[in-house]
């Protein structure tokens, strides 16, 4: 192997899934009261999401916590309980409505952020591979020309896929009260990096 080059190919793809990070939070004077209250609020949230057509498999518990809050340590001011979920919204046209539904659960509701992704990135990745390979091949041809040597066969191919970032856009619970759509998925860049090894002919 005489030449090793790196090529990159990127494709912009529109996300079609929203992951909503939400939950409920309460404070009570005792740990038992706080835990019972947060579980009740979580049940209301789950029922509200079910009524909106969110499948049970698309709701995942990602946080469950209970602990004291101190006014002046070791004096306990209250007990705070939190139950958080990740909700997969597969119809982006309903994203704002689902957010409204979470906010409508009550004062316990919390909206912690959103992330967008492609449910099936295969086609976009296939195009990114083509672009990455062509980029690497063009570089190899240029190096061979600069070296004054004919380019031979490919002896190595390896790939590295760069997953798109999943930015967590923080939001307040009253954001969902806006009458106009507040969620915009935009587009994400899917990038493939390929390493090609060539022999000189």
């Amino acid at each position: 192997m005489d030449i090793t080059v790196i090529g990159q190919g990127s494709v912009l793809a529109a996300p079609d899934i929203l992951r909503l990070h939400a939950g409920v939070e309460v404070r009570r004077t005792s740990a038992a009261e706080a835990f019972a209250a947060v579980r009740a609020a979580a049940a209301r949230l789950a029922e509200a999401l079910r009524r909106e057509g969110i499948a049970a498999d698309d709701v995942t518990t990602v946080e469950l916590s209970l602990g004291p809050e101190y006014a002046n340590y070791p004096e306990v001011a209250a007990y705070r309980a939190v139950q958080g979920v990740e909700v997969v919204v597969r119809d982006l046209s309903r994203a704002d409505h689902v957010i409204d539904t979470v906010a409508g659960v009550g004062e316990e509701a919390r909206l912690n952020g959103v992330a967008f992704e492609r449910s099936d990135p295969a086609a976009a990745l296939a195009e990114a591979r083509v672009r990455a390979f062509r980029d690497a091949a063009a570089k190899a041809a240029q190096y061979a020309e600069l070296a004054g040597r004919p380019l031979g066969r490919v002896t190595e191919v390896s790939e590295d896929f760069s997953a798109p970032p999943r930015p967590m856009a923080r939001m307040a619970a009253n954001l969902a009260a806006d009458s106009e759509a507040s969620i915009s998925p935009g587009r994400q860049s899917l990038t493939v990096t390929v390493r090609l090894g060539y022999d000189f002919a």
Side-chain angles (χ1 to χ4, degrees):
M1 183 174 65
D2 298 291
I3 297 180
T4 300
V5 289
I6 304 295
Q8 278 196 335
S10 297
V11 174
L12 290 176
D16 58 1
I17 282 181
L18 166 70
R19 293 186 183 273
L20 172 65
H21 293 257
V24 288
E25 178 180 345
V26 301
R27 287 172 175 78
R28 296 292 187 271
T29 55
S30 75
E33 290 174 336
F35 191 71
V38 82
R39 298 293 278 171
R44 293 198 306 273
L45 174 59
E47 175 60 21
L49 291 171
R50 186 193 65 78
R51 289 197 302 267
E52 288 303 318
I54 302 296
D57 289 345
D58 286 334
V59 181
T60 304
T61 300
V62 295
E63 180 183 5
L64 182 61
S65 64
L66 171 67
E69 292 187 337
Y70 299 98
N72 295 296
Y73 187 84
E75 179 186 349
V76 175
Y79 286 86
R80 173 179 175 268
V82 177
Q83 186 161 338
V85 295
E86 181 183 78
V87 182
V88 178
V89 181
R90 300 187 183 277
D91 181 357
L92 292 186
S93 68
R94 296 183 55 78
D96 277 279
H97 192 63
V98 173
I99 292 172
D100 287 345
T101 297
V102 174
V105 167
E107 62 182 12
E108 302 93 347
R110 298 293 183 269
L111 293 168
N112 298 319
V114 297
F116 294 96
E117 64 184 55
R118 290 281 299 178
S119 59
D120 184 7
L125 286 174
E127 175 60 26
R129 288 187 187 98
V130 171
R131 297 182 183 185
F133 193 95
R134 288 174 177 170
D135 180 47
K139 290 177 181 177
Q142 182 182 16
Y143 281 121
E145 181 181 359
L146 291 171
R149 302 279 300 277
L151 193 63
R153 63 189 181 91
V154 176
T155 58
E156 176 194 359
V157 179
S158 62
E159 176 188 287
D160 179 36
F161 164 58
S162 300
R166 295 176 58 185
M168 296 301 296
R170 304 293 294 183
M171 61 178 73
N174 61 3
L175 175 64
D178 293 344
S179 59
E180 297 182 358
S182 58
I183 299 300
S184 176
R187 292 194 296 173
Q188 292 179 333
S189 177
L190 300 177
T191 299
V192 168
T193 300
V194 64
R195 174 192 293 267
L196 298 185
Y198 285 85
D199 278 338
F200 285 125

